[in-house]
Amino acid sequence: EYGDTSNKGRFYGVAGSLISVLSDYTTNTDSVRKHDLQTGQVIETLSENIPAGSYFEGDDALYQIIVNDKIYSIYRLSMQGERKLIIQLELEEGEKGLSVDEEDGKLLIVSYKSPFEAKQIALYEIASNKLGDISFEPFGSTSSPDYQFVILG
């Protein structure tokens, strides 16, 4: 329904839950809310007034990326409301940004020179706090900034 505050924000499916992020542009902060799966109504506010960022879905949590100059801070927001800094990465010379995804407790981090050319791929294991590079042949796309690839090994 128009005007229903439960229908505002960006929505994500995380760990069998419906989550929304509502941004307050006057304070540059976000609130993370959990919704009832049947009605869509907000049933719990998991985090309030956290610094604004971009978000992506993980298997068991929502992840937030905050960019400050060339430093990327990646946070894990649990379904219990805990917000924890997982890793901070600084862009190297020639890198323009990072693309991050999570599965099975591991972050796949792709740095890129442009939206069309990957520069480095790393795998970060959250539980062990280990970051390792993945060898790959440089690749890119002339038509789309979206990457889909399989890592064998």
Side-chain angles (χ1 to χ4, degrees):
E1 181 176 317
Y2 186 77
D4 183 350
T5 57
S6 291
N7 290 337
K8 293 185 178 181
R10 285 166 277 147
F11 290 85
Y12 303 90
V14 179
S17 298
L18 178 61
I19 304 298
S20 69
V21 175
L22 185 61
S23 298
D24 183 336
Y25 298 106
T26 58
T27 61
N28 202 28
T29 60
D30 294 334
S31 294
V32 179
R33 310 173 309 164
K34 186 175 185 177
H35 296 256
D36 182 275
L37 291 175
Q38 301 301 315
T39 66
Q41 295 297 306
V42 173
I43 56 174
E44 183 180 1
T45 299
L46 300 175
S47 296
E48 285 186 289
N49 300 317
I50 59 175
S54 59
Y55 297 84
F56 65 93
E57 303 158 328
D59 286 343
D60 65 344
L62 184 67
Y63 289 83
Q64 180 191 40
I65 300 174
I66 295 179
V67 181
N68 186 1
D69 196 22
K70 292 184 172 193
I71 297 175
Y72 281 62
S73 300
I74 302 171
Y75 293 86
R76 181 182 183 276
L77 293 98
S78 75
M79 296 299 95
Q80 292 73 39
E82 179 188 11
R83 180 175 177 263
K84 180 180 177 185
L85 177 64
I86 299 296
I87 188 171
Q88 282 187 320
L89 300 167
E90 186 170 357
L91 294 182
E92 296 176 2
E93 186 67 34
E95 293 178 329
K96 301 293 183 197
L98 297 178
S99 178
V100 185
D101 195 11
E102 186 273 344
E103 187 173 337
D104 295 330
K106 297 174 184 164
L107 294 178
L108 179 67
I109 303 165
V110 179
S111 67
Y112 52 86
K113 292 181 183 180
S114 75
F116 305 103
E117 186 178 358
K119 183 174 186 240
Q120 183 178 14
I121 301 175
L123 193 62
Y124 177 75
E125 294 185 35
I126 296 170
S128 65
N129 196 28
K130 292 183 182 177
L131 180 67
D133 287 336
I134 296 175
S135 298
F136 74 103
E137 291 293 322
F139 65 91
S141 168
T142 58
S143 62
S144 172
D146 295 324
Y147 305 118
Q148 290 191 17
F149 49 90
V150 176
I151 298 173
L152 305 172

